[in-house]
Amino acid sequence: MSMKRGLLVALVACGAQFAHASFELVMVADRGTKSVHRFDGTTGAYLGAFGKGYVQNPLALEINTATNTAYVLDAVDGGTGTSGSAARLWAFNYNTGEYLASAKTPFAYIYPFLARNSVDGHLYVGNDNSLTDAYNSTTLARVPSVSRNLTSYTGLRGGGAFDSSGNLWIADGFSLRRVAVANVNTTFAFSSVLCASGAPVNQVAISGNRLLCVGAISYSAIQSLSGLAPTANSPTVQTDSSYNSINGAGFGHGDTAYVTGVASGGGGKISRILFSERLKLQDFGTGILVEPRSMAVVVAPEPGTMIAIGTGLAVLARRRKKS
């Protein structure tokens, strides 16, 4: 097959996939392979990886769909992110895998999370020492004037995400803290375990008023952040013993959501679930993922995303055939 014909086939295939209204691009930062893997969340089809040769120990992943950018927080010194590892921020085009920018952070982070605030556009890195540092999402330069010092909160430990109003939600075992734009903190305590008592909450994902958090071998669903009260709307928890650890979470379209982590038998995988019922629909990614650490999902990507990914895969296949 000629190069032009191969690309045409790839583009047609991508167009057909995009025509399926429920398409979701699932990306997983994998510490075991030192890269970010892409999948079709609906079919589980593998769509290649990026970041290889750049990232060393990716611990957190975030995206900006307006610019097609994926951000990776990397423990570059070989640490796990649990003992003050030095860190670097990377930016890639998640369509093509193109490297865009990187910057060394001035701090070592423990139990980090990476979240983007769509209101001010900045990236925030959460840290176990109760500080969230802000970074410019284009240059990756630190923005000290808007960094948030959460000195009254000592349980940061890895989970945090912004809602559409710019509120930062931070989770731990039995409580959920909302840090408003004006740094007004409200804590909601639960009688039941929110995610993983005594263990880090590995990732928090928010879509509208829904919140999904993962930790240990469980994931928790909160159906309404706007109506949250200290004695109401307790989390619904699902334990999945097919995992050794669940490290990443993300929302798809409608009621679908995803979790990822290390399977009980070794290697990594992704589970597609119904959020409201915590019902597993399918597993995929086995044999590709090794040690997933974080997840991001692009819901119904624009046609350019699929064309760019398809073109990149076709070129890669052509190069491999020549070698």
Side-chain angles (χ1 to χ4, degrees):
M1 181 183 295
S2 68
M3 180 64 170
K4 290 182 179 180
R5 184 180 178 188
L7 290 177
L8 178 61
V9 171
L11 297 182
V12 171
C14 288
Q17 280 192 327
F18 181 74
H20 195 291
S22 64
F23 177 81
E24 292 151 2
L25 177 63
V26 177
M27 288 175 281
V28 175
D30 189 342
R31 184 170 180 261
T33 63
K34 301 181 179 182
S35 58
V36 179
H37 297 278
R38 299 176 296 200
F39 298 88
D40 178 334
T42 306
T43 66
Y46 184 52
L47 299 174
F50 60 89
K52 193 77 171 179
Y54 293 96
V55 300
Q56 299 301 308
N57 291 279
L59 299 179
L61 177 67
E62 181 60 290
I63 57 173
N64 182 355
T65 57
T67 60
N68 304 322
T69 303
Y71 305 96
V72 181
L73 182 66
D74 186 11
V76 295
D77 66 352
T80 63
T82 59
S83 59
S85 305
R88 177 174 288 275
L89 278 170
W90 299 94
F92 301 92
N93 182 308
Y94 61 68
N95 290 348
T96 64
E98 176 189 3
Y99 161 79
L100 300 175
S102 72
K104 184 77 174 290
T105 66
F107 303 107
Y109 295 103
I110 305 174
Y111 300 112
F113 71 78
L114 180 63
R116 180 178 173 273
N117 186 348
S118 61
V119 174
D120 65 19
H122 294 312
L123 294 168
Y124 287 80
V125 179
N127 189 21
D128 193 51
N129 69 5
S130 303
L131 177 72
T132 54
D133 292 312
Y135 293 87
N136 182 286
S137 60
T138 301
T139 65
L140 305 185
R142 184 170 179 260
V143 188
S145 61
V146 295
S147 294
R148 302 184 180 193
N149 190 359
L150 308 178
T151 55
S152 62
Y153 189 67
T154 58
L156 198 50
R157 298 179 69 81
F162 286 95
D163 63 23
S164 59
S165 298
N167 299 309
L168 175 63
W169 294 82
I170 303 168
D172 67 7
F174 282 87
S175 66
L176 185 67
R177 170 163 289 207
R178 181 184 63 208
V179 184
V181 177
N183 281 346
V184 177
N185 299 345
T186 305
T187 300
F188 305 96
F190 302 108
S191 58
S192 58
V193 176
L194 172 63
C195 203
S197 179
V201 174
N202 293 323
Q203 188 172 359
V204 171
I206 293 176
S207 177
N209 287 330
R210 303 174 301 164
L211 181 146
L212 176 65
C213 69
V214 294
I217 59 170
S218 64
Y219 50 91
S220 298
I222 291 181
Q223 305 264 6
S224 178
L225 291 179
S226 61
L228 194 64
T231 59
N233 197 23
S234 292
T236 51
V237 182
Q238 178 67 45
T239 299
D240 189 339
S241 59
S242 71
Y243 282 94
N244 183 55
S245 63
I246 303 178
N247 301 324
F251 281 99
H253 79 289
D255 195 37
T256 61
Y258 299 86
V259 297
T260 188
V262 180
S264 57
K269 68 174 182 175
I270 301 167
S271 296
R272 187 169 186 253
I273 62 175
L274 286 180
F275 173 78
S276 61
E277 301 179 38
R278 302 170 313 286
L279 174 66
K280 185 186 294 187
L281 299 176
Q282 66 182 122
D283 288 340
F284 58 93
T286 55
I288 298 171
L289 300 174
V290 176
E291 188 182 347
R293 296 288 303 192
S294 185
M295 169 184 285
V297 181
V298 182
V299 179
E302 71 287 347
T305 293
M306 296 311 300
I307 291 173
I309 292 175
T311 301
L313 291 174
V315 171
L316 179 61
R318 179 70 174 178
R319 288 175 178 172
R320 287 180 175 174
K321 186 175 180 181
K322 286 183 176 181
S323 61

